[in-house]
Amino acid sequence: MMESPTQSNNGDGEGNGGGFLANCREKVFSMPDRLRCSAMGFAGKMSKIARDDPRRVVHSFKVGLALNLVSVFYYVKPLFDGWGVNTIWAVITVVFVMEFTVGGTLSKGLNRAMATLVAGFLAVGAHLVAQFCGEKGEPILLAVFVFLVASAATFSRFIPEVKARYEYGMIIFILTFSMVAVASYRVEELIKFAHQRVTTIAVGVASCLFTTFFVFPIWAGEDLHKLVADNLDKLAEFLEGMESECFGENSPCQNLEGKPFLQVYKSVLSSKVREDSLFNFAKWEPAHGKFRFRHPWSQYQKLGTLCRQCASSMEALASYVVILKKSQYPEANPELCLKIRAKCRAMSSHSAKALRSLSLAVRTMTIPCPTNELPMNDMSTATKAASDFRMELSKDVDLMQMIHVAAVASLLSDIVIQVKRITKSTNNLARLANFKNSERAQSAVRLCSAAGVLRARAAGFAGKLGKIARDDPRRVAHSFKVGLALTLVSVLYYVTPLFNNWGVSTLWAVLTVVVVMEYTVGGTLSKGLNRAFATLVAGFIAVGAHKVANLCGDKGEPILLAVFVFFLSSAATFSRFIPEVKARYDYGVTIFILTFSLVAVSSYRVDELIRLAHQRFSTIVVGVATCLCTTIFLLPVWAGEDLHKLAAGNLDKLAEFLEGIESECFGQNATGDNLESKAFLQVYKSVLNSKASEDSLSNFAKWEPGHGKFGFRHPWTQYQKLGALSRKCASSMEAIASYVITLTKSKYPEANPELCLKVRTACGEMSLHSAKALRELAAAIRAMTVPTPAKAHMSAAIKAAKGLSNELSEDADLVQVMHVAVIASLLSDLVMQTKKITESVDNLARLARFKDPAENTPKDAVVI
């Protein structure tokens, strides 16, 4: 055997040691190359982010410009004398209010201004009431006010309408009330103090709005408008790909998995979070460009929902086509198959043209019908092709081997119907938004007594609060925990020795509690550690910047500090667009910008800068520690546990859909009537919309320490993989649900009841066993045990799917059972997806060391 170079050159016989030293030398010598590659990769990523949307670079510089504008109030002595150190609140306002879009900045700015004003008035009133209790009773009553108001305001954040539009305002309300109420105990001129806070925040909001409105404004409404048009284009691109790659005259239909058109619709499926965010911000924006006051933004959400439903059907079709191609089924009747392909090509082509035309109409804000007849003509042609397809099938009974081609055609027919709904929704948008000479829709106004309206709203609001508390009682506990944490840090202000040590900097502990205290332990840990670390790093850099600026003299110092603030805040803002940074460290980067700006700007007027930085950091540490102690040791809510329950709950919902399909469509007494009103046809939709919650919980869970049954380095990423498979399965269910409803409305007669019965029986078995497998998987996740029983149910479901395929191959009379066979084919695909879910749960059980119920002992440890 030939010796390795390290062994042959090692004269003292220590081959392992020589190899180790050689590896060390190699790593040291290669370090410059690795650093250069890493730097080039990072630069390439930043460059791509800038190229994808150059407005991100502009936004970063706008943040730096706004911070410099409000810093002037600190540098110019007459302005500083008017407000004093309270000018710092203008800087804080800019950091937290400045958003990417005009609507986002308006939303946060108006929320902050209104919440500050209302909370300031209430806090002054609380101070006046507390004064009647004397010196000893005043801090106690103020603490009670802070506890009750903060708890009530925190609980109100769980109301969906409040969370969607006013959550930031509620946070600022809690912050302002707590700070002004607590500070009133040590401030003689409270009215002046509150006035300074309100005016400096108003200055910060005005700076943000001025920069956002007049320096390359980015409108959320325009982005929402473009997003909807882009989604229509992506749906059209998929259909164009189907037409050219699968139904063209010379299309080989090979290597479909690598085709881009099979991936393009997926961004439509995941567009809900961005669409909802843009919709929320767009409602705050004034009239701009072609978008008038009270533009019908809600119609964009309806259109977006239809686009996602269409994309779900496309996902089912894409999955089916790929499986079909792998199977390579022979064609028993090439002539009939050719006719079906021609009809499919017509449906795909004309539906794609209709979507392209609708997208163009949305972009140009023109009426797609009747001024622009193309979409309706294409839709008529596509619908006619779908009808011709059914008539073509009725002329020939030799369908034994081309059942799968017909299934694809049936799925395309369903997509045609969905495109028709999209066309109708776009026409409604054109009418409501006054696209090109359309008459404005008139709405009827219903009159009722003011007393009745107020009474009904009060009863509805109380009922909503009660439902929120009943749905998850932990929300009530969290609200009281926030109030308790604020009361605890208020002690720093009330106790004279503590106040003498930190002074007014103790208010930073109050601020930290308000912005760091999250619902889950992981959320609080994430924000707390981000805030502490970012404050420490930014403080050191700001002190260094102050030392450098000092060398430039009294006149040069503010100029150099302004340059530092501009460039560093711009660079940090741009880094927030990096996906990895945005996912885990976005809050930390925000605090970095805030702390650096505060310390750097305030250093121009503070002689003992080190002492100031120490006070800020130490009080923030106190606030973070208070949050963590309250969150971890007082009825903790673990993000990991919620993520665990979410994964199990999603599997239960998928099982509920399959159980409903089995009982309502394939059971012995199933009638298939009034399916649209059945609950099981809606239950899977929450799985489709679970990605945002899942990503948030997964991010927070990674920050949490070991707790309960969840050890250190628990495989949280595996839950995301399982969630992705669950959502894909839910998309197929949406296609099945849509197809089943359409089928029951059509009421096709059955020419072969015996074969239909066999198909239904097989479908019922597939549904039932797949549902049982999913139930077992959900139970296994909850109990953290190996899902052994689920495998038996999966074997039975797969056996039923294979038996169905054999059953169909034995009978050629499939003309009237075509639609049942299509559902059976979709269910067969669903069985395969359930199998993948089973494998994913097995991986989770292995990585997380779930217990084997047979052995009742933990499995061997696995290195993650």
Side-chain angles (χ1 to χ4, degrees), residues 267-565:
S267 62
V268 181
L269 286 173
S270 58
S271 64
K272 187 178 190 304
V273 175
R274 182 163 181 254
E275 183 182 279
D276 289 346
S277 175
L278 291 173
F279 165 72
N280 183 33
F281 291 153
K283 290 192 293 186
W284 290 90
E285 292 178 345
H288 57 279
K290 297 180 179 179
F291 304 97
R292 56 184 176 81
F293 179 64
R294 297 187 68 181
H295 192 76
W297 300 116
S298 58
Q299 189 63 31
Y300 288 88
Q301 281 193 307
K302 297 176 182 178
L303 183 55
T305 300
L306 292 174
C307 288
R308 282 187 291 276
Q309 289 176 355
C310 189
S312 293
S313 296
M314 288 178 176
E315 185 166 47
L317 177 60
S319 176
Y320 190 84
V321 166
V322 171
I323 294 174
L324 176 61
K325 182 55 191 172
K326 286 181 178 179
S327 303
Q328 293 290 339
Y329 292 101
E331 295 179 358
N333 191 331
E335 183 181 354
L336 181 58
C337 287
L338 185 63
K339 291 179 181 179
I340 293 177
R341 283 201 187 93
K343 299 303 179 184
C344 289
R345 184 166 62 250
M347 285 190 283
S348 302
S349 175
H350 291 290
S351 295
K353 287 179 181 179
L355 288 168
R356 289 288 189 193
S357 188
L358 292 173
S359 173
L360 180 62
V362 171
R363 290 183 196 281
T364 57
M365 299 188 76
T366 55
I367 301 173
C369 179
T371 305
N372 188 355
E373 292 282 349
L374 184 58
M376 293 308 297
N377 286 338
D378 280 316
M379 278 315 305
S380 299
T381 307
T383 305
K384 185 176 184 299
S387 300
D388 291 344
F389 148 71
R390 292 188 175 90
M391 293 179 62
E392 201 69 53
L393 291 180
S394 64
K395 297 176 183 178
D396 199 304
V397 297
D398 190 10
L399 302 178
M400 181 172 57
Q401 298 297 336
M402 43 76 65
I403 181 72
H404 303 283
V405 179
V408 172
S410 297
L411 287 172
L412 267 175
S413 300
D414 184 45
I415 291 177
V416 168
I417 295 172
Q418 294 186 12
V419 174
K420 189 174 182 180
R421 293 172 185 162
I422 291 173
T423 303
K424 184 178 179 181
S425 181
T426 306
N427 283 327
N428 289 337
L429 173 63
R431 176 176 55 83
L432 295 172
N434 279 342
F435 282 9
K436 292 283 181 75
N437 302 323
S438 177
E439 295 183 3
R440 181 173 298 181
Q442 301 293 327
S443 59
V445 180
R446 188 176 181 179
L447 299 178
C448 59
S449 65
V453 171
L454 291 175
R455 187 165 55 251
R457 288 183 179 178
F461 182 73
K464 185 176 292 185
L465 290 179
K467 184 178 184 301
I468 290 171
R470 289 192 302 274
D471 288 346
D472 192 347
R474 299 177 301 173
R475 294 168 177 171
V476 180
H478 172 69
S479 304
F480 287 129
K481 283 159 65 176
V482 172
L484 177 60
L486 284 171
T487 304
L488 290 175
V489 294
S490 301
V491 174
L492 300 177
Y493 219 91
Y494 299 147
V495 179
T496 301
L498 295 175
F499 179 79
N500 291 339
N501 182 40
W502 279 307
V504 293
S505 291
T506 52
L507 287 179
W508 286 95
V510 177
L511 185 148
T512 300
V513 169
V514 174
V515 297
V516 166
M517 194 82 169
E518 283 290 322
Y519 182 58
T520 62
V521 175
T524 306
L525 268 172
S526 170
K527 279 196 167 184
L529 296 179
N530 265 283
R531 187 177 185 92
F533 185 73
T535 300
L536 185 62
V537 173
F540 275 115
I541 296 176
V543 170
H546 167 69
K547 296 295 184 184
V548 173
N550 258 339
L551 303 177
C552 298
D554 292 339
K555 293 184 178 179
E557 182 179 1
I559 296 174
L560 192 57
L561 284 174
V563 171
F564 284 149
V565 169

Side-chain angles (χ1 to χ4, degrees), residues 607-681:
D607 296 328
E608 302 177 4
L609 178 61
I610 301 298
R611 182 170 177 269
L612 170 71
H614 175 265
Q615 286 180 338
R616 293 276 171 87
F617 180 72
S618 58
T619 51
I620 286 174
V621 169
V622 169
V624 170
T626 303
C627 289
L628 294 180
C629 290
T630 309
T631 304
I632 294 176
F633 300 112
L634 187 62
L635 300 176
V637 179
W638 300 98
E641 287 185 3
D642 281 6
L643 177 61
H644 191 79
K645 292 176 183 176
L646 177 64
N650 283 348
L651 294 181
D652 273 332
K653 291 173 183 176
L654 299 181
E656 186 177 343
F657 173 86
L658 289 171
E659 289 167 349
I661 283 288
E662 190 272 335
S663 62
E664 297 290 340
C665 298
F666 306 121
Q668 293 181 352
N669 300 320
T671 60
D673 294 333
N674 299 321
L675 285 182
E676 285 182 292
S677 61
K678 300 295 183 181
F680 77 91
L681 288 177

Side-chain angles (χ1 to χ4, degrees), residues 67 70-71 73-75 80 83-96 112 179 196-197 200-201 204 508 511 594-606 612 616:
L67 284 172
V70 295
S71 299
F73 290 86
Y74 223 95
Y75 299 145
F80 180 80
W83 280 308
V85 293
N86 280 317
T87 53
I88 264 331
W89 287 97
V91 178
I92 295 175
T93 300
V94 169
V95 173
F96 283 107
R112 188 178 185 97
M179 296 188 76
Q196 287 178 337
R197 289 287 167 86
T200 50
I201 287 174
W508 286 95
L511 185 148
L594 170 64
T595 303
F596 178 82
S597 304
L598 287 176
V599 177
V601 171
S602 62
S603 67
Y604 184 65
R605 295 288 179 188
V606 178
L612 170 71
R616 293 276 171 87

